[in-house]
Amino acid sequence: MGRPLFYEIVEKPATSCIIGICSVIWFYIQKKNIGYSHVGLSYENAVEGHHWRIITSAFSHISVLHLVFNMSALWSLGVVEQLGHIGLGTAYYLQYTLVLVVLSGLLVLGMYHLLIQRFKLEYFRRVTAVGYSCVVFGWMTILSAKQPSSKLDLFGFLSLPISFAPFESLIFTSIIVPQASFLGHLSGIIVGYAIAWGLIHGMNNYWAISMLVWIVLVFVYSLKRSGTYDFNFLDIESVTDPSLPSVRFVGNGRTLQMSAIPVEGVEVV
């Protein structure tokens, strides 16, 4: 017989908490009948100032199958918390989970920007990503580099060699689930290799807490700035004063002209 689930939870506290959070959010989304377009991340929404979606998109799942698949893979990857003897462990897991959530989201937006601006593929302007897959693929990649002898167990019966799991899963999900975010999964793999190879390093409790504080501040600010949620205690003022005269260059660019006509204020995004 296998070990009781209670002992597994105790040995994977961070993983268990994240699975619990994602499950509660999924239940809330279902109860409130919230669509993926309201919580997902797209280039168009990010340009409009909905930066909070980088966080909500990662922890939200619309279908129960999507949730079960991601959480099953995440539970298996929770072995990272038990590998403190090789420099991993729970603290490492929490610290770099923050990095994976933020950087994979930003990398996805960067890819969208390149495809839209450089290759004129307007389709990617409205493509909406949702789910914890970016982080799952990131940890899959880190574990494949740090502990290549490990196995990735899915649904309790499917076992994959972790050394091939990132790209096997990338191809598998792209074929089986055509609507799966290929770029989202790829971004998780890229950030995962950057962490595993030491290109992103130096995280500790101080930097993790500092990063978390900034995430919360940007999250709240972007909610307020985008008009998604009105925080009465937070008042965002215009950077410029419309009552002041504006200054602009005219003619050959060497002559200044003053205008007392009020101009619209520019707000910091």
Short mmCIF file of all heavy atoms in Angstrom, two decimals, residues 189-235:
data_model
loop_
_atom_site.label_atom_id
_atom_site.label_comp_id
_atom_site.label_asym_id
_atom_site.label_seq_id
_atom_site.Cartn_x
_atom_site.Cartn_y
_atom_site.Cartn_z
N ILE A 189 8.71 26.56 -20.27
CA ILE A 189 9.92 25.77 -20.51
C ILE A 189 11.15 26.67 -20.59
O ILE A 189 12.20 26.38 -20.00
CB ILE A 189 9.78 24.95 -21.81
CG1 ILE A 189 8.72 23.85 -21.62
CG2 ILE A 189 11.11 24.32 -22.21
CD1 ILE A 189 8.43 23.06 -22.88
N ILE A 190 11.03 27.79 -21.29
CA ILE A 190 12.17 28.72 -21.44
C ILE A 190 12.60 29.29 -20.09
O ILE A 190 13.78 29.31 -19.75
CB ILE A 190 11.80 29.85 -22.41
CG1 ILE A 190 11.62 29.30 -23.84
CG2 ILE A 190 12.87 30.95 -22.40
CD1 ILE A 190 11.09 30.31 -24.83
N VAL A 191 11.62 29.76 -19.30
CA VAL A 191 11.94 30.32 -17.98
C VAL A 191 12.49 29.22 -17.08
O VAL A 191 13.40 29.44 -16.28
CB VAL A 191 10.70 30.98 -17.35
CG1 VAL A 191 11.03 31.49 -15.95
CG2 VAL A 191 10.21 32.13 -18.21
N GLY A 192 11.93 28.01 -17.20
CA GLY A 192 12.42 26.89 -16.41
C GLY A 192 13.88 26.57 -16.68
O GLY A 192 14.67 26.37 -15.74
N TYR A 193 14.28 26.56 -17.94
CA TYR A 193 15.68 26.32 -18.28
C TYR A 193 16.56 27.47 -17.79
O TYR A 193 17.70 27.25 -17.35
CB TYR A 193 15.85 26.14 -19.79
CG TYR A 193 15.63 24.71 -20.25
CD1 TYR A 193 14.68 24.41 -21.24
CD2 TYR A 193 16.36 23.66 -19.71
CE1 TYR A 193 14.48 23.11 -21.66
CE2 TYR A 193 16.16 22.36 -20.13
CZ TYR A 193 15.22 22.08 -21.10
OH TYR A 193 15.02 20.79 -21.51
N ALA A 194 16.06 28.70 -17.87
CA ALA A 194 16.83 29.85 -17.39
C ALA A 194 17.12 29.72 -15.90
O ALA A 194 18.21 30.08 -15.42
CB ALA A 194 16.07 31.15 -17.68
N ILE A 195 16.15 29.20 -15.14
CA ILE A 195 16.34 28.99 -13.70
C ILE A 195 17.28 27.80 -13.46
O ILE A 195 18.21 27.89 -12.66
CB ILE A 195 14.99 28.75 -13.02
CG1 ILE A 195 14.13 30.02 -13.08
CG2 ILE A 195 15.19 28.32 -11.56
CD1 ILE A 195 12.70 29.83 -12.60
N ALA A 196 17.02 26.69 -14.16
CA ALA A 196 17.81 25.48 -13.95
C ALA A 196 19.27 25.68 -14.31
O ALA A 196 20.17 25.12 -13.65
CB ALA A 196 17.22 24.33 -14.76
N TRP A 197 19.56 26.46 -15.35
CA TRP A 197 20.94 26.68 -15.79
C TRP A 197 21.62 27.85 -15.07
O TRP A 197 22.75 28.21 -15.38
CB TRP A 197 20.96 26.95 -17.30
CG TRP A 197 20.58 25.74 -18.11
CD1 TRP A 197 20.55 24.44 -17.69
CD2 TRP A 197 20.17 25.74 -19.48
NE1 TRP A 197 20.15 23.62 -18.71
CE2 TRP A 197 19.91 24.38 -19.83
CE3 TRP A 197 19.99 26.73 -20.45
CZ2 TRP A 197 19.49 24.00 -21.10
CZ3 TRP A 197 19.57 26.35 -21.72
CH2 TRP A 197 19.32 25.01 -22.04
N GLY A 198 20.92 28.45 -14.11
CA GLY A 198 21.53 29.51 -13.31
C GLY A 198 21.51 30.88 -13.94
O GLY A 198 22.14 31.81 -13.43
N LEU A 199 20.79 31.04 -15.07
CA LEU A 199 20.69 32.36 -15.68
C LEU A 199 19.83 33.29 -14.84
O LEU A 199 20.01 34.51 -14.85
CB LEU A 199 20.10 32.23 -17.10
CG LEU A 199 20.88 31.34 -18.07
CD1 LEU A 199 20.16 31.26 -19.41
CD2 LEU A 199 22.30 31.87 -18.26
N ILE A 200 18.88 32.70 -14.14
CA ILE A 200 18.07 33.43 -13.15
C ILE A 200 18.37 32.78 -11.80
O ILE A 200 18.04 31.61 -11.58
CB ILE A 200 16.56 33.34 -13.46
CG1 ILE A 200 16.26 33.94 -14.83
CG2 ILE A 200 15.75 34.03 -12.37
CD1 ILE A 200 14.82 33.75 -15.28
N HIS A 201 19.02 33.50 -10.93
CA HIS A 201 19.41 32.91 -9.65
C HIS A 201 19.46 33.99 -8.57
O HIS A 201 19.18 35.16 -8.84
CB HIS A 201 20.79 32.25 -9.79
CG HIS A 201 21.89 33.23 -10.11
ND1 HIS A 201 22.11 33.71 -11.38
CD2 HIS A 201 22.82 33.83 -9.32
CE1 HIS A 201 23.12 34.55 -11.37
NE2 HIS A 201 23.57 34.65 -10.13
N GLY A 202 19.81 33.57 -7.37
CA GLY A 202 19.96 34.53 -6.28
C GLY A 202 18.70 34.79 -5.47
O GLY A 202 18.70 35.64 -4.57
N MET A 203 17.63 34.07 -5.76
CA MET A 203 16.40 34.27 -4.99
C MET A 203 16.58 33.74 -3.57
O MET A 203 17.14 32.67 -3.35
CB MET A 203 15.23 33.55 -5.66
CG MET A 203 14.67 34.25 -6.87
SD MET A 203 13.86 35.83 -6.48
CE MET A 203 12.40 35.28 -5.61
N ASN A 204 16.10 34.53 -2.61
CA ASN A 204 16.07 34.09 -1.21
C ASN A 204 14.79 34.65 -0.60
O ASN A 204 13.96 35.24 -1.30
CB ASN A 204 17.32 34.57 -0.46
CG ASN A 204 17.54 36.08 -0.62
OD1 ASN A 204 16.59 36.86 -0.64
ND2 ASN A 204 18.80 36.48 -0.74
N ASN A 205 14.61 34.44 0.70
CA ASN A 205 13.37 34.88 1.33
C ASN A 205 13.17 36.39 1.23
O ASN A 205 12.04 36.87 1.04
CB ASN A 205 13.33 34.44 2.80
CG ASN A 205 13.18 32.94 2.95
OD1 ASN A 205 12.66 32.27 2.05
ND2 ASN A 205 13.63 32.40 4.07
N TYR A 206 14.26 37.14 1.37
CA TYR A 206 14.16 38.60 1.28
C TYR A 206 13.64 39.03 -0.09
O TYR A 206 12.70 39.82 -0.19
CB TYR A 206 15.52 39.25 1.55
CG TYR A 206 15.54 40.73 1.27
CD1 TYR A 206 15.02 41.64 2.19
CD2 TYR A 206 16.06 41.22 0.07
CE1 TYR A 206 15.02 43.01 1.92
CE2 TYR A 206 16.07 42.58 -0.20
CZ TYR A 206 15.55 43.47 0.72
OH TYR A 206 15.55 44.81 0.46
N TRP A 207 14.27 38.52 -1.16
CA TRP A 207 13.86 38.90 -2.51
C TRP A 207 12.47 38.36 -2.85
O TRP A 207 11.71 39.01 -3.57
CB TRP A 207 14.88 38.42 -3.53
CG TRP A 207 16.16 39.21 -3.48
CD1 TRP A 207 17.40 38.76 -3.11
CD2 TRP A 207 16.33 40.59 -3.79
NE1 TRP A 207 18.32 39.76 -3.17
CE2 TRP A 207 17.69 40.91 -3.58
CE3 TRP A 207 15.47 41.60 -4.21
CZ2 TRP A 207 18.21 42.19 -3.81
CZ3 TRP A 207 15.98 42.88 -4.44
CH2 TRP A 207 17.32 43.15 -4.23
N ALA A 208 12.15 37.20 -2.33
CA ALA A 208 10.83 36.62 -2.59
C ALA A 208 9.73 37.47 -1.96
O ALA A 208 8.70 37.75 -2.59
CB ALA A 208 10.77 35.19 -2.06
N ILE A 209 9.95 37.89 -0.71
CA ILE A 209 8.97 38.73 -0.03
C ILE A 209 8.85 40.10 -0.71
O ILE A 209 7.76 40.63 -0.90
CB ILE A 209 9.32 38.90 1.46
CG1 ILE A 209 9.18 37.54 2.18
CG2 ILE A 209 8.43 39.94 2.13
CD1 ILE A 209 9.66 37.56 3.61
N SER A 210 10.01 40.66 -1.10
CA SER A 210 10.01 41.94 -1.81
C SER A 210 9.24 41.83 -3.12
O SER A 210 8.44 42.71 -3.48
CB SER A 210 11.44 42.40 -2.09
OG SER A 210 12.17 42.58 -0.90
N MET A 211 9.48 40.74 -3.84
CA MET A 211 8.79 40.51 -5.11
C MET A 211 7.30 40.35 -4.89
O MET A 211 6.48 40.88 -5.66
CB MET A 211 9.37 39.26 -5.78
CG MET A 211 8.84 38.99 -7.18
SD MET A 211 9.68 37.58 -7.94
CE MET A 211 8.87 37.58 -9.55
N LEU A 212 6.92 39.64 -3.83
CA LEU A 212 5.51 39.44 -3.52
C LEU A 212 4.82 40.76 -3.21
O LEU A 212 3.68 41.00 -3.65
CB LEU A 212 5.36 38.48 -2.34
CG LEU A 212 3.94 38.13 -1.91
CD1 LEU A 212 3.18 37.46 -3.06
CD2 LEU A 212 3.95 37.22 -0.69
N VAL A 213 5.51 41.62 -2.48
CA VAL A 213 4.94 42.94 -2.14
C VAL A 213 4.71 43.75 -3.43
O VAL A 213 3.65 44.36 -3.60
CB VAL A 213 5.88 43.71 -1.19
CG1 VAL A 213 5.42 45.17 -1.05
CG2 VAL A 213 5.90 43.05 0.18
N TRP A 214 5.69 43.74 -4.33
CA TRP A 214 5.54 44.47 -5.60
C TRP A 214 4.41 43.88 -6.44
O TRP A 214 3.68 44.61 -7.11
CB TRP A 214 6.85 44.46 -6.37
CG TRP A 214 7.81 45.52 -5.91
CD1 TRP A 214 8.95 45.36 -5.19
CD2 TRP A 214 7.67 46.93 -6.14
NE1 TRP A 214 9.54 46.57 -4.95
CE2 TRP A 214 8.79 47.56 -5.52
CE3 TRP A 214 6.74 47.72 -6.80
CZ2 TRP A 214 8.97 48.94 -5.55
CZ3 TRP A 214 6.93 49.10 -6.84
CH2 TRP A 214 8.03 49.69 -6.22
N ILE A 215 4.28 42.56 -6.43
CA ILE A 215 3.20 41.92 -7.17
C ILE A 215 1.85 42.39 -6.66
O ILE A 215 0.94 42.72 -7.43
CB ILE A 215 3.30 40.38 -7.07
CG1 ILE A 215 4.50 39.87 -7.89
CG2 ILE A 215 2.01 39.71 -7.57
CD1 ILE A 215 4.79 38.39 -7.70
N VAL A 216 1.71 42.43 -5.33
CA VAL A 216 0.45 42.88 -4.72
C VAL A 216 0.17 44.33 -5.07
O VAL A 216 -0.96 44.70 -5.43
CB VAL A 216 0.49 42.69 -3.19
CG1 VAL A 216 -0.72 43.34 -2.54
CG2 VAL A 216 0.54 41.21 -2.83
N LEU A 217 1.19 45.19 -5.00
CA LEU A 217 1.01 46.61 -5.30
C LEU A 217 0.61 46.82 -6.76
O LEU A 217 -0.33 47.59 -7.05
CB LEU A 217 2.30 47.37 -5.00
CG LEU A 217 2.68 47.53 -3.51
CD1 LEU A 217 4.03 48.21 -3.38
CD2 LEU A 217 1.61 48.30 -2.75
N VAL A 218 1.31 46.15 -7.67
CA VAL A 218 0.97 46.29 -9.10
C VAL A 218 -0.40 45.70 -9.38
O VAL A 218 -1.18 46.24 -10.17
CB VAL A 218 2.04 45.59 -9.97
CG1 VAL A 218 1.61 45.57 -11.44
CG2 VAL A 218 3.38 46.31 -9.83
N PHE A 219 -0.73 44.61 -8.71
CA PHE A 219 -2.03 43.97 -8.88
C PHE A 219 -3.16 44.93 -8.49
O PHE A 219 -4.11 45.14 -9.25
CB PHE A 219 -2.09 42.71 -8.01
CG PHE A 219 -3.33 41.88 -8.19
CD1 PHE A 219 -3.39 40.93 -9.19
CD2 PHE A 219 -4.43 42.04 -7.35
CE1 PHE A 219 -4.53 40.14 -9.36
CE2 PHE A 219 -5.57 41.28 -7.51
CZ PHE A 219 -5.63 40.33 -8.52
N VAL A 220 -3.03 45.52 -7.31
CA VAL A 220 -4.06 46.45 -6.83
C VAL A 220 -4.11 47.70 -7.70
O VAL A 220 -5.20 48.17 -8.08
CB VAL A 220 -3.79 46.84 -5.35
CG1 VAL A 220 -4.73 47.95 -4.90
CG2 VAL A 220 -3.94 45.63 -4.45
N TYR A 221 -2.93 48.25 -8.05
CA TYR A 221 -2.88 49.45 -8.87
C TYR A 221 -3.53 49.23 -10.24
O TYR A 221 -4.29 50.06 -10.72
CB TYR A 221 -1.43 49.90 -9.05
CG TYR A 221 -1.27 51.07 -9.98
CD1 TYR A 221 -1.50 52.38 -9.54
CD2 TYR A 221 -0.93 50.89 -11.31
CE1 TYR A 221 -1.37 53.45 -10.40
CE2 TYR A 221 -0.79 51.96 -12.18
CZ TYR A 221 -1.01 53.24 -11.72
OH TYR A 221 -0.90 54.29 -12.57
N SER A 222 -3.21 48.08 -10.86
CA SER A 222 -3.76 47.83 -12.20
C SER A 222 -5.26 47.56 -12.15
O SER A 222 -5.98 47.90 -13.09
CB SER A 222 -3.02 46.66 -12.86
OG SER A 222 -3.18 45.46 -12.13
N LEU A 223 -5.73 46.95 -11.06
CA LEU A 223 -7.18 46.78 -10.90
C LEU A 223 -7.87 48.14 -10.85
O LEU A 223 -8.91 48.35 -11.47
CB LEU A 223 -7.49 45.99 -9.63
CG LEU A 223 -7.39 44.46 -9.68
CD1 LEU A 223 -7.58 43.88 -8.29
CD2 LEU A 223 -8.42 43.87 -10.63
N LYS A 224 -7.28 49.05 -10.08
CA LYS A 224 -7.83 50.40 -9.95
C LYS A 224 -7.68 51.18 -11.26
O LYS A 224 -8.64 51.80 -11.74
CB LYS A 224 -7.08 51.13 -8.83
CG LYS A 224 -7.41 52.62 -8.69
CD LYS A 224 -8.77 52.85 -8.09
CE LYS A 224 -8.99 54.34 -7.83
NZ LYS A 224 -10.29 54.61 -7.20
N ARG A 225 -6.48 51.12 -11.84
CA ARG A 225 -6.19 51.89 -13.05
C ARG A 225 -7.05 51.46 -14.23
O ARG A 225 -7.49 52.28 -15.04
CB ARG A 225 -4.70 51.73 -13.39
CG ARG A 225 -4.27 52.41 -14.67
CD ARG A 225 -4.34 53.93 -14.56
NE ARG A 225 -3.88 54.56 -15.79
CZ ARG A 225 -4.63 54.73 -16.86
NH1 ARG A 225 -5.90 54.31 -16.86
NH2 ARG A 225 -4.17 55.32 -17.93
N SER A 226 -7.32 50.16 -14.35
CA SER A 226 -8.10 49.64 -15.47
C SER A 226 -9.60 49.77 -15.25
O SER A 226 -10.39 49.48 -16.15
CB SER A 226 -7.74 48.17 -15.72
OG SER A 226 -8.09 47.36 -14.60
N GLY A 227 -10.00 50.18 -14.05
CA GLY A 227 -11.42 50.32 -13.75
C GLY A 227 -12.11 49.02 -13.45
O GLY A 227 -13.34 48.96 -13.35
N THR A 228 -11.34 47.95 -13.25
CA THR A 228 -11.93 46.64 -12.96
C THR A 228 -12.52 46.60 -11.57
O THR A 228 -13.57 46.00 -11.34
CB THR A 228 -10.86 45.54 -13.10
OG1 THR A 228 -10.26 45.62 -14.40
CG2 THR A 228 -11.47 44.16 -12.91
N TYR A 229 -11.83 47.22 -10.62
CA TYR A 229 -12.31 47.26 -9.24
C TYR A 229 -11.97 48.61 -8.65
O TYR A 229 -10.86 49.12 -8.84
CB TYR A 229 -11.68 46.14 -8.41
CG TYR A 229 -12.31 45.96 -7.05
CD1 TYR A 229 -13.43 45.15 -6.88
CD2 TYR A 229 -11.80 46.62 -5.93
CE1 TYR A 229 -14.01 44.98 -5.64
CE2 TYR A 229 -12.37 46.46 -4.68
CZ TYR A 229 -13.48 45.65 -4.54
OH TYR A 229 -14.07 45.50 -3.31
N ASP A 230 -12.91 49.19 -7.95
CA ASP A 230 -12.73 50.53 -7.41
C ASP A 230 -12.31 50.47 -5.94
O ASP A 230 -13.10 50.13 -5.08
CB ASP A 230 -14.02 51.34 -7.54
CG ASP A 230 -13.84 52.78 -7.09
OD1 ASP A 230 -12.68 53.24 -7.08
OD2 ASP A 230 -14.84 53.43 -6.74
N PHE A 231 -11.03 50.73 -5.69
CA PHE A 231 -10.54 50.81 -4.32
C PHE A 231 -10.72 52.25 -3.84
O PHE A 231 -9.98 53.14 -4.27
CB PHE A 231 -9.07 50.39 -4.25
CG PHE A 231 -8.84 48.94 -4.60
CD1 PHE A 231 -8.49 48.58 -5.89
CD2 PHE A 231 -8.97 47.95 -3.64
CE1 PHE A 231 -8.27 47.25 -6.22
CE2 PHE A 231 -8.75 46.62 -3.96
CZ PHE A 231 -8.40 46.27 -5.24
N ASN A 232 -11.66 52.46 -2.95
CA ASN A 232 -11.97 53.83 -2.52
C ASN A 232 -10.80 54.49 -1.80
O ASN A 232 -10.67 55.71 -1.82
CB ASN A 232 -13.19 53.81 -1.60
CG ASN A 232 -14.45 53.39 -2.34
OD1 ASN A 232 -14.62 53.68 -3.52
ND2 ASN A 232 -15.33 52.68 -1.65
N PHE A 233 -9.95 53.67 -1.17
CA PHE A 233 -8.83 54.24 -0.41
C PHE A 233 -7.66 54.63 -1.31
O PHE A 233 -6.74 55.29 -0.87
CB PHE A 233 -8.35 53.24 0.64
CG PHE A 233 -7.78 51.98 0.06
CD1 PHE A 233 -6.44 51.89 -0.29
CD2 PHE A 233 -8.59 50.88 -0.16
CE1 PHE A 233 -5.91 50.73 -0.83
CE2 PHE A 233 -8.08 49.71 -0.71
CZ PHE A 233 -6.74 49.64 -1.04
N LEU A 234 -7.72 54.22 -2.57
CA LEU A 234 -6.61 54.49 -3.49
C LEU A 234 -7.04 55.54 -4.51
O LEU A 234 -7.97 55.33 -5.28
CB LEU A 234 -6.21 53.19 -4.22
CG LEU A 234 -5.04 53.28 -5.19
CD1 LEU A 234 -3.77 53.69 -4.44
CD2 LEU A 234 -4.83 51.95 -5.89
N ASP A 235 -6.33 56.65 -4.53
CA ASP A 235 -6.66 57.75 -5.44
C ASP A 235 -5.48 57.97 -6.38
O ASP A 235 -4.39 58.35 -5.96
CB ASP A 235 -6.95 59.02 -4.64
CG ASP A 235 -7.41 60.16 -5.54
OD1 ASP A 235 -7.88 59.87 -6.66
OD2 ASP A 235 -7.31 61.33 -5.13
#
